[in-house]
Structures are given as structure tokens and as C-alpha cells.
């Protein structure tokens, strides 16, 4: 109730933009100045051997690079310190960055390091409704994880795959028989739709305009995630208000779909029904849908965009991928070839998608290595602990950049080269594309199936080629932007594809 009242207040504020800017900016500056001038706990000197070396930067100076150019900031700081572990301050919070073989093993296995507290504080790009998507009790989080496992059982996924293929066919039909598209614009939209289909309610997934609206709102959450609203989430900065409004609008859409389902008495065959049948309280249902949509759609959409970008720029792998899909269809679907690709792919059983696609498995693995600029974040919620001999005080935040392992030339020679044929290192924690130790991705079964089915459909439907502004194949292509911590997007328009449908679709 309090949130809703506050939002009404915000709305009336936002109508008067100029007054709002002044009313918000002035106190913001004052509070930030006070926080800057106040000594941080990093100023307490502790020269013990076990204390990680401190970055010689003032707390305020680390904020912008940590949030805006995290990859450059962490890489250059490791170099500057000459150590595999260092610490710095974000306002009054101690953050310890770790790297190296022992460091990553300790990071992924330490008992007291908590992902939820770390992520909630340092990431910020999630809907912010306390009790629903933030400040969740451990009990609610573990309930959401349990339901996610039910939503990925083989039965449910087998019924879901034809719907994912139908949605994708529908969207690809809107592209027409030929044209040009920007992979980093069209592909995330496609995967947002399939993720809504997989994790939410039919009432939303069947309404293209509503899905587009939801995507816009989630994009706004990304855009409004600024250092101020992450570090001072209670402070009514313009970004915090924007984030709160977007969260409330997402909440309204999801809550409305839940109400409709309950009031209609209709029994759907979707994830919402699994949640309702489990008798979970409304907060768990809302938290599941609102929270996992962002985790699922953003990561899967980013991975899919890069996987297609790599395929388009590595024709030898594109041919291997097409051959694998054609083999899959001929092995598992006895339907005549006159059937649509959607129908043929829908006949492939889930075991074949999961067990008979070694080329796709290798391509997904390699894409997550090169194009996942994740920095894992934790908070030590236990007593003081140690990482590679360095003391991690209780309450400190700890971060581990995936670049430490995935772009490490000792483990992956010529690390920026996308090469799915690379041999896999046997060293523990030498690959963490789906997490590691006590924190692994709980949605990876769904994510891999979405990637395989939708990209297979694209490859069967279209002939395509990369083009630049003048319609020629570009001479050079940008690599994943690891400083863009959320989507790792290249500059807009750098991966344009010219496509034409492989066979005429008479239903158009
Ligand atoms: C290609 C798509 C995806 C990738 C690359 C990916 C990757 C990851 C990684 C690396 C982690 C560990 C993060 C860390 O240690 O800081 C993680 C955790 C997680 N992922 Fe995913 N993910 C994907 C899709 C999904 C989807 C579709 C869902 C939900 C349906 C999901 C749900 C989760 C959850 C709940 C966790 C937290 C696990 C925990 O707290 O123990 N992910 N994911």
C-alpha cells in the first residue's frame, strides 16, 4: 500500500519536470557530498598481511568506473595493484575483487558468500518492489527456485517447445520474405517473447502489444539503473523514481494476469498455473514471474544475439549448425518435407534437443565464454572468511569478474577468438559460463532449449548474410563490449543481416 501511495505521489511529481529536477537534484548533490566527505571504513588502516591491498582511489572516484566501465576498471586495477586480490570502497561499503585460480575456487565455494545480498546491492537492474523482487526472505527465494525446477520438468518443457516454436514463427512472419535486420535489436525481442511464454502466463504471452510494453518497461529498468539508485536505493533521485514507476507498471501487468486467471476459474497449461496450483502466496507468484523474466530474457536474448552474430561471421560453423538441425529433423520427424519448419521441429523430442546437438552445445558454451561480461557478486553474511589467504570481513562485498577466467590466454589461447572446437580444460573452475560451485544457473535447461529451438528455426527459415551500410559484407566486426555489463552490445547497426526466406511460405 505504501508503495502504491508513494507512486501516486511520484506521478504527480513527474508532471512538473522542472520543479522535480530542482527538488531532486539539489538534495542529491548535498547527500552525495556529505557521503563523499565522510570517512569510509576503508580509511581505517589495517596493515595486516591478510588484508587485501587497497586501491589508491577515493571512494567517490571508483563509483563511475565500477558501474560504467567495469571491465576496464577491474582489469586495470588488478594490473595497478599487481595483486590477484584488492579492495576498494563504494561510498561506505568495502568491496573486494578477487581473481586467479585459488581465488575463484574459494569465491565459488565459500559458505558465507551470499549471491542474493551481493546481487541486490551491486547490480540494481531488477524490478524494485520490496518483498516481491527485492528484500526477499530466504524462504521465498528457495520457494521460487523450487518452482523454477518444476517449471523445467521434461513434461512441461515438452509441451512448451511447440509453443515457443509457434511464437517464433509468428514473429519471423512479421519480418516478411526478405529484408534487413539488426541482430541486436530483433533477436532480444524474439527471445523476450519466448521467455514470457516460458515463465509467465498465456494471457500475457498471447498479447503481442502487452509483451512489447513489458519489454519496454524492462529496458527502462536497465536504462534507469544508475550508480545513485544502486548505492542509495532509498534516495528519490530521478533514476530511482523512474525505476520504481517501471517496476510498478510491470507489477500491474503481471498482477492483472494473475487476477484474470483466478477470477475466470480457467485452468491454463502454463507456468502461472504451476505456481497457482502449488498454493504459493501471491508474493511468490509475482516474485517468480517479475524476477525471473529479467534474469531469463536478458541473458538468453544476449546469448542468442551473439550466437547468431558469431554464426553469421563464421560461415563454416553456420554450415555445421544447419547440417546438425537437418539431421535432427530427419532422425526424429517422420513428417513429409512439405510440412512447415515449425511443425517439423515441433516433432523432435526433448531428449534429442538435449542429447543430439553437440555442435550447438559447443557453440553455446563458446559464446558464453566470449560474450558474457558477468561479474559475480556476493556479500559475506557469515563470520570473517578467507579467499586465497586474504581476509574477507563479515559484511564486505566480494566480486569476481568472469573475464579473469574466460579471457585468460593461459587457459584459452587467443581468447577473443570464437572457436567452438577449443578443447575443454580439466582445471577446476576453468569454465563458469553457467556459474560454478554452490551457485549455478537454475534456468539453464530452459535457456539451452530456447536457444537451440529458436536458432534452429531461424537457420531453416532464412538464407542470411552480414551486410554493412552499403550492402557489402563488413571488413571488420566489433567484439563483445565487456564494459556493457548487462547486454555486452556492440555499437548499434554493426551486425546487420540481409535475409531471404529459404522456401516461399504460402501462408503469408
Ligand atoms: C543464456 C542464458 C543464461 C545464462 C548465460 C545464465 C547464466 C547464469 C550464471 C553465470 C549464473 C551464476 C551467477 C553468479 O554466480 O553470479 C546464473 C544464476 C542464476 N540463473 Fe541463469 N543464466 C541464463 C538464463 C537463465 C534463465 C532463463 C533463468 C530462469 C528461468 C535463470 C535463472 C537463474 C537463477 C535463479 C540463478 C541464481 C542461482 C542461485 O541463486 O543459486 N537463468 N545464471
Amino acid at each position: 500500500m505504501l508503495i502504491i501511495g508513494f507512486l501516486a505521489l511520484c506521478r504527480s511529481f513527474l508532471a512538473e519536470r522542472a520543479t522535480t529536477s530542482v527538488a531532486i537534484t539539489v538534495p542529491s548533490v548535498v547527500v552525495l557530498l556529505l557521503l563523499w566527505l565522510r570517512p569510509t571504513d576503508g580509511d581505517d588502516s589495517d596493515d595486516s598481511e591478510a588484508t587485501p591491498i587497497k586501491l589508491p582511489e577515493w571512494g567517490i572516484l571508483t563509483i563511475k568506473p565500477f558501474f560504467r566501465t567495469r571491465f576496464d576498471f577491474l582489469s586495470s586495477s588488478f594490473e595497478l595493484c599487481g595483486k590477484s586480490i584488492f579492495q576498494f570502497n563504494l561510498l561506505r561499503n568495502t568491496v573486494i575483487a578477487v581473481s586467479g585460480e585459488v581465488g575463484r575456487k574459494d569465491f565459488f565455494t565459500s559458505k558465507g558468500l551470499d549471491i542474493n545480498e551481493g546481487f541486490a546491492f551491486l547490480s540494481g537492474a531488477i524490478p524494485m518492489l520490496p518483498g516481491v523482487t527485492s528484500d526477499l526472505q530466504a524462504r521465498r527465494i528457495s520457494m521460487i527456485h523450487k518452482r523454477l525446477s518444476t517449471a523445467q520438468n521434461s513434461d512441461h518443457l515438452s509441451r512448451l517447445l511447440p509453443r515457443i516454436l509457434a511464437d517464433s514463427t509468428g514473429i519471423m512472419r512479421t519480418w516478411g520474405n526478405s529484408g534487413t535486420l539488426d541482430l541486436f535489436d530483433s533477436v532480444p525481442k524474439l527471445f523476450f517473447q519466448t521467455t514470457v511464454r516460458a515463465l509467465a502466463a498465456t494471457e500475457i504471452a498471447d498479447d503481442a502489444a502487452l509483451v512489447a510494453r513489458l519489454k519496454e518497461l524492462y529496458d527502462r529498468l536497465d536504462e534507469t539503473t544508475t550508480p545513485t539508485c544502486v548505492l542509495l536505493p532509498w534516495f528519490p533521485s530521478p533514476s530511482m523514481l523512474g525505476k520504481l514507476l517501471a517496476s510498478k507498471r510491470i507489477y500491474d501487468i503481471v498482477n492483472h494476469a494473475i487476477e484474470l486467471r483466478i477470477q475466470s476459474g480457467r485452468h491454463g497449461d502454463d507456468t502461472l498455473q504451476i505456481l497457482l496450483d502449488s498454493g504459493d502466496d501471491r508474493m511468490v507468484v509475482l516474485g517468480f514471474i517479475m524476477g525471473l523474466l529479467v534474469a531469463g530474457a536478458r541473458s538468453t536474448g544476449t546469448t542468442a544475439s551473439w550466437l547468431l552474430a558469431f554464426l553469421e561471421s563464421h560461415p563454416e560453423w553456420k554450415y555445421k549448425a544447419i547440417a546438425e538441425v537437418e539431421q535432427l529433423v530427419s532422425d526424429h520427424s517422420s513428417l513429409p518435407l512439405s510440412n512447415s519448419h515449425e511443425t517439423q521441429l515441433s516433432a523432435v523430442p526433448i531428449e534429442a534437443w538435449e542429447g543430439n546437438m553437440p555442435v550447438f552445445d559447443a557453440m553455446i558454451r563458446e559464446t558464453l565464454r566470449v560474450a558474457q561480461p558477468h561479474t559475480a557478486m556476493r556479500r559475506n553474511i557469515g563470520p570473517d572468511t578467507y579467499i586465497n589467504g586474504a581476509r574477507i570481513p563479515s559484511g564486505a562485498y566480494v566480486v569476481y569478474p568472469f573475464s579473469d577466467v574466460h579471457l585468460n590466454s593461459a587457459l584459452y589461447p587467443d581468447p577473443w577468438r570464437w572457436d567452438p572446437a577449443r578443447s575443454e580444460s580439466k582445471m577446476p573452475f576453468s569454465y563458469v559460463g553457467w556459474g560454478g560451485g554452490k551457485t549455478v544457473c537454475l534456468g539453464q535447461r530452459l535457456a539451452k532449449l530456447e536457444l537451440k529451438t529458436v536458432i534452429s528455426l531461424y537457420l531453416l527459415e532464412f538464407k542470411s548474410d552480414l551486410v554493412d551500410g552499403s550492402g557489402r559484407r563488413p571488413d571488420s566486426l566489433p567484439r563483445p563490449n565487456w564494459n556493457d555489463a548487462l547486454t555486452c552490445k556492440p555499437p548499434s547497426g554493426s551486425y546487420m543481416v540481409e535475409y531471404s526466406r529459404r522456401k516461399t511460405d504460402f501462408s503469408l
Side-chain angles (χ1 to χ4, degrees):
M1 287 310 286
L2 219 133
I3 289 171
I4 295 165
F6 183 50
L7 279 162
L9 197 69
C10 298
R11 246 175 251 191
S12 58
F13 274 172
L14 289 176
E16 294 170 37
R17 283 193 102 105
T19 327
T20 314
S21 299
V22 176
I24 287 168
T25 310
V26 172
S28 305
V29 171
V30 172
V31 171
L32 281 173
L33 267 175
L34 287 174
L35 283 164
W36 182 14
L37 294 172
R38 211 170 146 196
T40 65
D41 44 4
D43 295 332
D44 304 331
S45 59
D46 173 358
D47 293 330
S48 85
E49 283 246 319
T51 301
I53 187 169
K54 280 179 189 142
L55 203 61
E57 295 279 5
W58 284 21
I60 197 96
L61 296 180
T62 53
I63 294 177
K64 198 169 167 213
F66 180 76
F67 286 99
R68 297 281 185 237
T69 48
R70 188 169 299 158
F71 171 66
D72 290 346
F73 167 67
L74 292 176
S75 319
S76 60
S77 300
F78 278 120
E79 226 166 88
L80 182 75
C81 299
K83 300 273 181 196
S84 62
I85 300 185
F86 68 90
Q87 62 173 301
F88 59 101
N89 286 98
L90 285 176
L91 297 181
R92 297 185 51 74
N93 307 286
T94 300
V95 182
I96 298 171
V98 307
S99 66
E101 194 184 331
V102 181
R104 66 179 159 265
K105 183 185 137 290
D106 290 351
F107 176 88
F108 282 109
T109 53
S110 280
K111 272 206 190 113
L113 298 190
D114 183 75
I115 184 173
N116 298 306
E117 286 222 13
F119 195 74
F121 171 65
L122 293 174
S123 159
I126 50 170
M128 47 183 299
L129 290 182
V132 181
T133 50
S134 56
D135 303 333
L136 287 186
Q137 302 148 350
R139 188 186 59 80
R140 275 208 182 121
I141 293 176
S142 79
M143 196 59 81
I144 288 174
H145 289 175
K146 204 164 152 195
R147 300 295 173 244
L148 179 54
S149 148
T150 313
Q152 291 175 101
N153 69 34
S154 297
D155 264 6
H156 184 67
L157 287 177
S158 296
R159 293 197 305 280
L160 178 67
L161 292 188
R163 289 174 205 155
I164 285 182
L165 285 162
D167 280 353
S168 308
T169 303
I171 290 180
M172 289 176 192
R173 209 167 264 156
T174 66
W175 297 351
N177 279 334
S178 61
T180 308
L181 54 84
D182 182 341
L183 289 180
F184 287 86
D185 178 47
S186 302
V187 176
K189 283 184 188 149
L190 180 56
F191 277 82
F192 190 78
Q193 168 68 43
T194 58
T195 308
V196 169
R197 175 70 64 195
L199 295 174
T202 317
E203 288 83 347
I204 304 176
D206 282 349
D207 183 340
L210 198 56
V211 174
R213 174 83 183 120
L214 258 186
K215 166 108 178 44
E216 213 179 278
L217 290 168
Y218 275 107
D219 287 349
R220 202 175 303 160
L221 282 184
D222 288 355
E223 288 151 19
T224 51
T225 297
T226 61
T228 317
C229 76
V230 174
L231 295 176
L232 307 172
W234 44 267
F235 190 74
S237 61
S239 57
M240 181 272 201
L241 295 181
K243 213 159 118 67
L244 200 57
L245 277 181
S247 304
K248 170 65 170 56
R249 285 173 181 150
I250 294 172
Y251 168 94
D252 286 342
I253 293 174
V254 176
N255 197 39
H256 182 64
I258 300 173
E259 278 298 323
L260 274 183
R261 178 70 58 85
I262 293 173
Q263 278 168 20
S264 71
R266 195 176 74 81
H267 195 276
D269 182 11
D270 57 11
T271 297
L272 172 60
Q273 199 63 52
I274 292 179
L275 301 172
L276 293 177
D277 291 349
S278 305
D280 294 330
D281 65 53
R282 182 68 67 96
M283 293 304 195
V284 170
V285 181
L286 281 160
F288 180 104
I289 298 177
M290 291 176 67
L292 293 184
L293 268 187
V294 67
R298 196 192 287 132
S299 323
T300 319
T302 299
T303 308
S305 306
W306 273 110
L307 178 44
L308 274 174
F310 289 133
L311 274 179
E312 296 291 7
S313 48
H314 295 74
E316 70 285 13
W317 282 98
K318 190 170 169 186
Y319 297 135
K320 284 187 203 185
I322 293 173
E324 184 167 86
V325 180
E326 286 175 346
Q327 188 65 47
L328 193 77
V329 171
S330 85
D331 286 352
H332 297 282
S333 162
S334 51
L335 297 168
L337 286 178
S338 56
N339 277 280
S340 68
H341 295 135
E342 176 197 335
T343 312
Q344 291 181 17
L345 291 173
S346 295
V348 175
I350 191 166
E351 305 77 49
W353 285 112
E354 296 193 309
N356 298 356
M357 299 193 82
V359 172
F360 267 71
D361 286 329
M363 294 188 317
I364 292 172
R365 182 185 161 88
E366 180 70 347
T367 303
L368 292 186
R369 183 187 68 77
V370 188
Q372 188 185 186
H374 185 60
T375 296
M377 299 169 174
R378 309 284 189 264
R379 187 174 199 195
N380 182 11
I381 57 167
D384 289 5
T385 186
Y386 288 84
I387 288 188
N388 197 9
R391 190 171 67 88
I392 311 293
S394 180
Y397 292 91
V398 192
V399 297
Y400 176 75
F402 280 16
S403 51
D404 172 60
V405 58
H406 288 168
L407 298 180
N408 184 331
S409 54
L411 291 166
Y412 300 99
D414 194 2
W416 287 102
R417 191 163 54 90
W418 184 79
D419 177 10
R422 281 176 193 279
S423 51
E424 293 179 18
S425 161
K426 298 276 172 276
M427 188 189 285
F429 298 97
S430 56
Y431 180 81
V432 291
W434 298 102
K438 64 188 193 82
T439 311
V440 289
C441 177
L442 300 176
Q444 66 174 289
R445 190 171 188 202
L446 170 67
K448 280 184 191 163
L449 282 167
E450 268 187 82
L451 289 168
K452 288 178 179 177
T453 48
V454 180
I455 290 179
S456 296
L457 182 69
Y458 171 92
L459 293 175
L460 291 185
E461 287 282 304
F462 299 109
K463 277 197 274 190
S464 52
D465 269 312
L466 282 175
V467 285
D468 63 14
S470 57
R472 281 194 298 268
R473 197 175 169 80
D475 295 331
S476 67
L477 291 161
R479 62 193 193 189
N481 176 9
W482 277 63
N483 279 321
D484 174 353
L486 292 178
T487 60
C488 154
K489 257 189 181 177
S492 168
S494 45
Y495 281 92
M496 300 299 292
V497 160
E498 201 170 75
Y499 61 91
S500 58
R501 218 166 265 278
R502 282 188 190 276
K503 74 173 184 193
T504 311
D505 184 346
F506 295 108
S507 61
L508 279 176

